[in-house]
Amino acid sequence: MKKIIVPVGNTENGINNLNYAVKFASMSGATVYLVNLYREFSKVGGLTKVNELLHEESEAQLQKIIDSVDTGDVEVLARAIKGDPFDGITRIANQLEVDLMIVSPQSIDIKDEVYLGSITGKIIKETDIPVLVIPQDYIFRKVEVILMAIKSGRIVKEGLLDPLKSMLNLFSAKLNVLHVITPDADENDLEHDEALKELESNTKTTENATIYQGVLEHFQSNNPDMLCVIRRKRGFFQKLWETSAVMKKDFYTSKPLLILSGQE
């Protein structure tokens, strides 16, 4: 993981995420790209000056965030970019070929019952970039145990497990795999890919109505420092993705959530 992108929502979350990204990058040798997206008004009607002010405010927010974090020897490149937040983030991430995106559950201050805000939810739902969701006010600490919850043990996409493998190697962590057999599982879902077997320390199979129910049942016994899932069109966030925002009653974790790039 040599390129990490940190999109800015509000200043507080930006500081929290940049601080985490810098500490992570100091261990991995990565470059951190801090980006702030702002919407530009039409230049018709003499709004050019307004757009200039928006750009200046966006750059000022970036500088405030950087000034609030001890970046040490980590290279942090900041840039204010005009455009739609989702389109801009995904465009820049793809152009830079980033290895990981670090985001907040909520990009702006919204109701407390919401876990993933609409922009973060859309990024997870529609991009093919590995995402690490950092809870608000979460303090960076060594990851000793990663709990990976899966519905299917098939790994058909090349390189899908690479970010997870990097995490395990970076922290010398162990991987506990929770294979949740749901009522709609088929025979292929019961397979367990060799690439995953090579990474795991322990595997437990459980039967639950949903993956999230399986996680709730076994989370405390694993006491993980990070939760990992695979973004599939048919799987973990399938029902949650009916809308981009995700409510805490449907899914919530107080630990960092690593979401690997999706597959069918």
Side-chain angles (χ1 to χ4, degrees):
M1 294 187 182
K2 296 303 181 182
K3 296 180 180 180
I4 300 172
I5 188 169
V6 180
V8 172
N10 61 44
T11 301
E12 182 180 355
N13 287 343
I15 294 171
N16 186 62
N17 293 347
L18 179 60
N19 189 57
Y20 191 100
V22 164
K23 287 182 168 58
F24 187 93
S26 68
M27 297 177 64
S28 65
T31 297
V32 177
Y33 297 88
L34 185 69
V35 297
N36 197 359
L37 277 294
Y38 65 94
R39 293 182 182 274
E40 187 177 57
F41 288 96
S42 170
K43 294 181 180 179
V44 177
L47 292 175
T48 301
K49 185 62 176 179
V50 174
N51 291 329
E52 291 176 358
L53 290 173
L54 289 173
H55 181 79
E56 291 173 2
E57 290 177 356
S58 184
E59 288 191 327
Q61 184 182 26
L62 288 172
Q63 191 60 52
K64 182 177 181 180
I65 292 170
I66 291 175
D67 290 343
S68 302
V69 176
D70 180 7
T71 58
D73 296 329
V74 174
E75 183 179 21
V76 178
L77 303 177
R79 185 177 178 184
I81 302 168
K82 63 183 178 182
D84 174 80
F86 171 75
D87 292 338
I89 290 169
T90 53
R91 183 181 72 251
I92 295 300
N94 289 326
Q95 288 177 352
L96 295 173
E97 297 181 341
V98 301
D99 304 298
L100 182 69
M101 185 183 302
I102 294 180
V103 301
S104 298
Q106 302 172 8
S107 59
I108 56 175
D109 294 324
I110 53 180
K111 295 180 180 179
D112 187 57
E113 62 265 24
V114 175
Y115 171 60
L116 293 181
S118 58
I119 294 177
T120 301
K122 189 174 182 180
I123 289 172
I124 293 171
K125 176 182 177 181
E126 298 186 17
T127 67
D128 204 27
I129 302 165
V131 176
L132 184 61
V133 183
I134 303 299
Q136 187 176 9
D137 299 326
Y138 187 84
I139 299 174
F140 181 89
R141 57 180 62 89
K142 185 180 185 298
V143 176
E144 296 184 353
V145 177
I146 298 177
L147 176 62
M148 184 179 189
I150 59 173
K151 175 179 178 179
S152 172
R154 292 179 297 166
I155 307 295
V156 298
K157 183 177 179 181
E158 184 178 355
L160 186 146
L161 296 174
D162 287 352
L164 174 61
K165 185 176 181 179
S166 295
M167 289 280 186
L168 293 169
N169 291 337
L170 187 67
F171 292 106
S172 298
K174 71 175 185 177
L175 177 67
N176 292 344
V177 174
L178 181 65
H179 195 160
V180 183
I181 308 301
T182 58
D184 60 341
D186 58 37
E187 292 184 2
N188 291 327
D189 290 332
L190 303 180
E191 298 176 9
H192 210 165
D193 192 90
E194 288 298 324
L196 184 56
K197 288 182 180 179
E198 292 178 1
L199 299 179
E200 64 194 28
S201 299
N202 298 289
T203 302
K204 183 177 183 62
T205 301
T206 180
E207 295 186 9
N208 295 91
T210 65
I211 291 185
Y212 184 41
Q213 287 185 15
V215 170
L216 288 176
E217 181 178 335
H218 297 279
F219 192 88
Q220 291 300 327
S221 61
N222 283 271
N223 192 26
D225 303 293
M226 182 177 292
L227 179 63
C228 177
V229 296
I230 299 174
R231 187 197 68 84
R232 301 179 190 259
K233 292 182 179 178
R234 185 182 67 87
F236 187 73
F237 282 118
Q238 182 182 18
K239 291 184 179 180
L240 301 185
W241 281 351
E242 291 175 357
T243 59
S244 292
V246 175
M247 309 301 290
K248 286 183 178 179
K249 65 182 179 63
D250 297 317
F251 177 80
Y252 174 74
T253 176
S254 61
K255 300 295 179 68
L257 173 66
L258 176 63
I259 303 174
L260 303 179
S261 57
Q263 61 183 35
E264 296 296 333

